[in-house]
Amino acid sequence: MAMVSRALLSVSRYSLSPLSRPSFKLYFSSSSEAEEEDEVKDSGVGVVNLVLSPRETLVAEKFHSLIKNHQRKNPNPDPHSPNPNFAIPGLSFDLSQASSTDSVSPAIVRRVIEKCSGVRHGIPFPQTLAFFNWATGLEEFRHSPEPYMEMIDLAGKVREFDLAWQLIDLMKTRNLEIPVDTFSILVRRYVRAGLAAEAVHAFNRMEDYGCKPDKIAFSVVISILCKKRRAMEAQSFFDSLKDRFEPDVVVYTSLIHGWCRASNISEAERVFREMKVAGIQPNVYTYSIVIDALCRNGQITRAHDVFAEMIDVGCDPNAITFNNLMRVHVKAGRTEKVLQVYNQMKRLGCPADTITYNFLIDTHCRDDNLEEAVKVLNSAVKKKCSLNASSFNPIFRCISKLGDINGAHRMFARMKDLKCKPNTVTYNILMRMFAVSKSTDMVLKLKKEMDGNEIEPNVNTYRIIISTFCGIGHWNNAYRFFKEMIEEKCLRPSLPDYEMVLQQLRKAGQLKKHEELVEKMVDRGFVARPL
């Protein structure tokens, strides 16, 4: 019989406790980067970085490279769902050759699967499953739950749910511990796929695998359903089990959050009243969620009434609360109102967080007030507040408008000095700026840096690079990056970008490459075959 995880309450990659206070801060204080047009959104569960030795890192990179190479050579896998024993003999041979002098640890397997699932497009799922089966089939492999959970998560991500269950059965057959977190992964993937009934069914099957559902698991299912805007299903699940698992402030707060995300404010307020009648006092996160929803729905006066109630009952607001009051004014470009909320925050002695400073920077940059934006940045640094890419991106946009190349270099250097990691948006803004100024070398340098830092380029990144080279008649580089975009990154280019590269190839008399490119686009289903 599989064992219940002894680490149920611990913080892990697949934590079953996303309702702790720090997680509320994560869920309900989304920053302005979410508003950026080409933001790369997080596509997976929260990750605690794996610690690998330098040797293990090298082996994992080698395996990942073999998987990607196989995918590149075989862009159209068998459309039938792979079975749990799926293997690719050629890939297995290459993996065996690459590992002839190295042992394959569970950490290596996790890292490889993590890297394969970390892309937004073109996940090499058949190859990753073949790798997993090859690795776990090795005689010397030390079996542990984590690689299986990683593979189950990936199967759920690509909606191979039958395979996910077969992997759980495999864990049971091999007498592996099946952590309750395994079902958290499955529930989250079902909900993301829009299969709420199946998510609840996964919860109900926990006992079949030696995992007894408890209040934490109950809370988690509600939290996941609510986070994915499945408030009706969450409410139904809550109503069916609330007599078995006594609800607390965490469960009620999740339900309120769910109704708010579903834009049903009246239901959110009903649950808000119900919890108070039940004698459960809302906490700062509950109030902050209600205030945020009211602001987003234009009910500013009502939001301030709830804020006043919060103060009256002695619940101290935090940065999240004020950020939620501030956000609507930032979006509407009401600088004076943003500053009023910030001043009230200071009067009540509430310290600003990264989101607060980002909102202030964004507000000043929307007014083209670069000087004030930099002052806010300096203040955040002085207060030792950690900054992120969204602290700098509005400033780079301002600098770009001014065409201040030297200013961009200085600010980018400062960003690095502060150990603040640029994101895809940062690189796109800078690349576009250097492209306009005809600094092709800088565009290439930034792309190389992106690759070195493992920051995924998007379609906008490639559009900037390709149009830059097409603009100066460098068909070879335009063709090279276009191929990289569709073959390595599995991104779907826009038709204008495609036509632009084809035009360059025709101009250069590169008719063979022209035909090759058409074939690649047709093979991937991006365009129809020309008549």
Side-chain angles (χ1 to χ4, degrees), residues 26 69 115 184 186 241 252 256 263 362 431 480 506:
L26 185 70
N69 284 339
K115 282 179 75 67
S184 173
L186 210 47
L241 291 172
Y252 272 113
I256 292 166
S263 299
D362 194 26
M431 278 185 189
R480 174 165 69 91
R506 287 194 296 270

Side-chain angles (χ1 to χ4, degrees), residues 230-283:
R230 304 305 294 255
M232 198 173 293
E233 290 90 341
Q235 185 70 57
S236 175
F237 182 72
F238 169 82
D239 292 339
S240 68
L241 291 172
K242 64 182 177 183
D243 293 333
R244 182 177 168 190
F245 303 110
E246 186 182 352
D248 57 14
V249 64
V250 171
V251 173
Y252 272 113
T253 300
S254 282
L255 273 178
I256 292 166
H257 181 222
W259 285 117
C260 289
R261 285 180 68 80
S263 299
N264 194 329
I265 305 303
S266 59
E267 273 300 298
E269 292 225 59
R270 179 191 64 75
V271 177
F272 190 45
R273 288 191 300 271
E274 181 185 303
M275 75 181 291
K276 289 185 278 189
V277 169
I280 297 171
Q281 180 60 42
N283 62 21

Side-chain angles (χ1 to χ4, degrees), residues 266-333:
S266 59
E267 273 300 298
E269 292 225 59
R270 179 191 64 75
V271 177
F272 190 45
R273 288 191 300 271
E274 181 185 303
M275 75 181 291
K276 289 185 278 189
V277 169
I280 297 171
Q281 180 60 42
N283 62 21
V284 62
Y285 304 101
T286 322
Y287 278 112
S288 297
I289 290 162
V290 174
I291 289 167
D292 182 49
L294 291 167
C295 286
R296 287 178 188 270
N297 282 270
Q299 299 181 41
I300 311 298
T301 304
R302 171 69 183 133
H304 281 280
D305 289 343
V306 173
F307 180 76
E309 176 194 312
M310 181 182 188
I311 301 294
D312 289 344
V313 299
C315 182
D316 292 333
N318 62 13
I320 297 167
T321 320
F322 285 104
N323 292 342
N324 291 345
L325 286 167
M326 201 182 284
R327 181 181 290 104
V328 67
H329 300 307
V330 175
K331 285 185 177 180

Side-chain angles (χ1 to χ4, degrees), residues 173-431:
T173 302
R174 290 176 173 173
N175 292 319
L176 275 172
E177 175 185 37
I178 302 179
V180 180
D181 300 342
T182 312
F183 293 92
S184 173
I185 295 165
L186 210 47
V187 166
R188 181 176 53 81
R189 289 302 181 188
Y190 270 131
V191 173
R192 182 165 285 185
L195 303 169
E198 286 81 354
V200 173
H201 180 62
F203 173 85
N204 292 332
R205 285 194 64 187
M206 286 173 65
E207 287 190 273
D208 296 345
Y209 294 89
C211 301
K212 187 174 174 60
D214 58 11
K215 188 174 175 178
I216 293 175
F218 170 65
S219 298
V220 166
V221 174
I222 290 173
S223 170
I224 293 169
L225 287 166
C226 289
K227 195 181 174 199
K228 298 301 174 188
R229 295 182 172 86
R230 304 305 294 255
M232 198 173 293
E233 290 90 341
Q235 185 70 57
S236 175
F237 182 72
F238 169 82
D239 292 339
S240 68
L241 291 172
K242 64 182 177 183
D243 293 333
R244 182 177 168 190
F245 303 110
E246 186 182 352
D248 57 14
V249 64
V250 171
V251 173
Y252 272 113
T253 300
S254 282
L255 273 178
I256 292 166
H257 181 222
W259 285 117
C260 289
R261 285 180 68 80
S263 299
N264 194 329
I265 305 303
S266 59
E267 273 300 298
E269 292 225 59
R270 179 191 64 75
V271 177
F272 190 45
R273 288 191 300 271
E274 181 185 303
M275 75 181 291
K276 289 185 278 189
V277 169
I280 297 171
Q281 180 60 42
N283 62 21
V284 62
Y285 304 101
T286 322
Y287 278 112
S288 297
I289 290 162
V290 174
I291 289 167
D292 182 49
L294 291 167
C295 286
R296 287 178 188 270
N297 282 270
Q299 299 181 41
I300 311 298
T301 304
R302 171 69 183 133
H304 281 280
D305 289 343
V306 173
F307 180 76
E309 176 194 312
M310 181 182 188
I311 301 294
D312 289 344
V313 299
C315 182
D316 292 333
N318 62 13
I320 297 167
T321 320
F322 285 104
N323 292 342
N324 291 345
L325 286 167
M326 201 182 284
R327 181 181 290 104
V328 67
H329 300 307
V330 175
K331 285 185 177 180
R334 294 190 285 262
T335 303
E336 191 178 331
K337 291 285 187 184
V338 172
L339 297 178
Q340 280 177 9
V341 174
Y342 179 56
N343 288 332
Q344 185 180 20
M345 186 179 187
K346 289 195 290 186
R347 279 198 304 274
L348 289 174
C350 177
D353 68 2
T354 305
I355 311 300
T356 316
Y357 285 117
N358 287 358
F359 280 161
L360 292 169
I361 290 168
D362 194 26
T363 296
H364 290 307
C365 287
R366 284 170 186 249
D367 291 341
D368 293 328
N369 193 338
L370 180 59
E371 187 179 345
E372 283 301 315
V374 173
K375 279 183 185 176
V376 173
L377 185 80
N378 292 338
S379 176
V381 172
K382 191 176 177 182
K383 296 276 178 63
K384 300 194 184 312
C385 180
S386 65
L387 299 171
N388 58 28
S390 290
S391 312
F392 285 88
N393 290 346
I395 292 176
F396 285 127
R397 284 196 179 98
C398 255
I399 292 172
S400 179
K401 275 187 190 177
L402 296 170
D404 184 0
I405 297 291
N406 291 332
H409 277 293
R410 287 194 300 272
M411 189 57 68
F412 195 46
R414 188 170 185 209
M415 185 180 191
K416 290 178 177 177
D417 287 344
L418 291 168
K419 305 288 186 272
C420 179
K421 188 178 179 181
N423 64 10
T424 308
V425 178
T426 316
Y427 283 108
N428 287 356
I429 295 167
L430 292 171
M431 278 185 189

